[in-house]
Amino acid sequence: MIKKLRKAVLPVAGLGTRFLPATKALAKEMLPVVDKPLIQYAIEEARAAGIEQFCMVTGRGKTALIDHFDVAYELERTLLERGKTDLLQMLKDMSVEPGSIATVRQQVPLGLGHAIWCARAFIGDDPFAILLPDDLVLADKPCLAQLADVYHATGGNVVAIEEVPREMTNRYGILEVGYDNGKTVEVVGLVEKPAPEDAPSNLSIIGRYVLLPEVVTHLARMERGAGNEVQLTDGMAKMIGNAPFHGLRFDGRRFDCGDKAGFLEAQIAFALKRPDLAGKVRAFLKNYT
Ligand code: UTP
């Protein structure tokens, strides 16, 4: 029987060094794209895919991420007194079920695989999604919902993939591919950050996954991989052959918001989707071309 996907892990314990000084006292995942923090996009995408329980893997200086989903009593009362019903409704819409967000601490950022292992009690024996909030996807059907469809059809592991230029394979988890129907590919191997000449393809994993709980057992060995970190990719690779494993060429555009240029591009792309901003943004962009 294929278990329904209900859980998501959101690793947010990274240091965000590429965004210093902004991230000295502020979590990278609180940086807004237009007017919404990255973490909120991730939670909303997860909810749209049917996720009911969330676990943030946090570190020092990340409390704002948890406060963001709390009730802001004084703010709500002031908005009510001022008759700002639209803003009140916005806050209501973003509220989550009481008790649905858990947090665990990753005391030392030893790698993404280690961060996921830190959520092992939350994961238990259930399939779970992973969303890296700094990967933002603009799509008609949310990216995780696209992955969830493949998971519910196959009962196996599914990762969101996209093509990257050959010379950039050393930044990503890269697939070795079996059959490929143009949309879904069979994963027969996985390598983290291979040099271009060693990369088995130019298909890279982006920050959306649906995984079986067995990955935790593999991560528990704490084997160090690329960059001397405990790599999620290495743990996932150990599951190949034991259960279906697919990569999905998702519909949509992904923005790497952990990178300055990617973050700026996301601001423009998301603003152009907003009826209240698109005209103004299009007009001022003319000044820069
Ligand atoms: P990144 O590679 O973007 O690292 O992590 P980072 O520390 O966040 O940012 P830079 O490179 O220093 O600017 C990818 C994702 O994995 C999480 C991060 O929070 C981010 O969501 N992560 C990474 C952890 O939670 N723990 C880790 O030990 C490493």
Side-chain angles (χ1 to χ4, degrees), residues 10-19 28-29 57 62 106 108-115 131-134 193 229 256 258:
L10 299 107
V12 291
L15 298 176
T17 54
R18 283 170 292 167
F19 264 102
K28 173 172 70 171
E29 299 78 9
V57 183
K62 301 281 183 168
Q106 184 192 27
V108 188
L110 297 177
L112 182 56
H114 181 263
L131 299 99
L132 306 187
D134 45 5
K193 300 189 174 63
E229 293 191 346
D256 178 3

Side-chain angles (χ1 to χ4, degrees), residues 8-248:
V9 177
L10 299 107
V12 291
L15 298 176
T17 54
R18 283 170 292 167
F19 264 102
L20 283 169
T23 47
K24 191 174 168 222
L26 178 76
K28 173 172 70 171
E29 299 78 9
M30 281 305 293
L31 295 175
V33 167
V34 184
D35 52 8
K36 201 190 282 187
L38 291 169
I39 188 68
Q40 193 180 334
Y41 285 100
I43 294 275
E44 287 178 1
E45 183 179 330
R47 290 170 86 192
I51 300 295
E52 296 161 4
Q53 296 167 41
F54 310 86
C55 178
M56 286 191 214
V57 183
T58 69
R60 273 184 298 281
K62 301 281 183 168
T63 43
L65 292 166
I66 302 153
D67 291 343
H68 187 68
F69 295 96
D70 221 338
V71 172
Y73 179 73
E74 295 85 349
L75 173 65
E76 290 189 13
R77 208 186 53 191
T78 308
L79 291 175
L80 188 67
E81 282 166 9
R82 294 185 186 172
K84 306 258 185 202
T85 46
D86 48 341
L87 293 178
L88 267 174
Q89 189 57 44
M90 180 208 283
L91 294 183
K92 204 171 255 141
D93 291 344
M94 67 167 278
S95 68
V96 293
E97 276 284 295
S100 63
I101 299 188
T103 62
V104 295
R105 279 268 182 161
Q106 184 192 27
Q107 290 92 334
V108 188
L110 297 177
L112 182 56
H114 181 263
I116 299 304
W117 175 80
C118 288
R120 62 199 177 282
F122 170 83
I123 295 165
D125 292 326
D126 295 316
F128 65 103
I130 302 173
L131 299 99
L132 306 187
D134 45 5
D135 263 346
L136 191 55
V137 183
L138 187 57
D140 291 335
K141 176 167 178 162
C143 183
L144 189 63
Q146 298 177 42
L147 293 192
D149 286 350
V150 178
Y151 162 73
H152 286 123
T154 62
N157 301 291
V158 198
V159 291
I161 56 168
E162 68 178 14
E163 284 184 18
V164 292
R166 264 275 158 189
E167 63 274 15
M168 283 167 61
T169 56
N170 57 2
R171 295 201 206 163
Y172 299 99
I174 298 291
L175 269 59
E176 185 181 343
V177 173
Y179 73 75
D180 180 350
N181 70 9
K183 184 85 190 145
T184 312
V185 307
E186 178 194 15
V187 178
V188 298
L190 287 169
V191 201
E192 184 64 28
K193 300 189 174 63
E197 58 276 20
D198 302 327
S201 76
N202 67 339
L203 286 175
S204 87
I205 304 175
I206 71 142
R208 298 290 182 278
Y209 314 68
V210 177
L211 299 180
L212 299 177
E214 287 73 31
V215 72
V216 172
T217 320
H218 301 300
L219 295 172
R221 294 196 194 101
M222 294 298 148
E223 286 167 16
R224 300 293 181 113
N228 199 32
E229 293 191 346
V230 180
Q231 294 289 355
L232 176 61
T233 304
D234 298 339
M236 292 193 299
K238 302 251 169 56
M239 294 194 288
I240 295 169
N242 301 332
F245 205 138
H246 292 93
L248 176 70

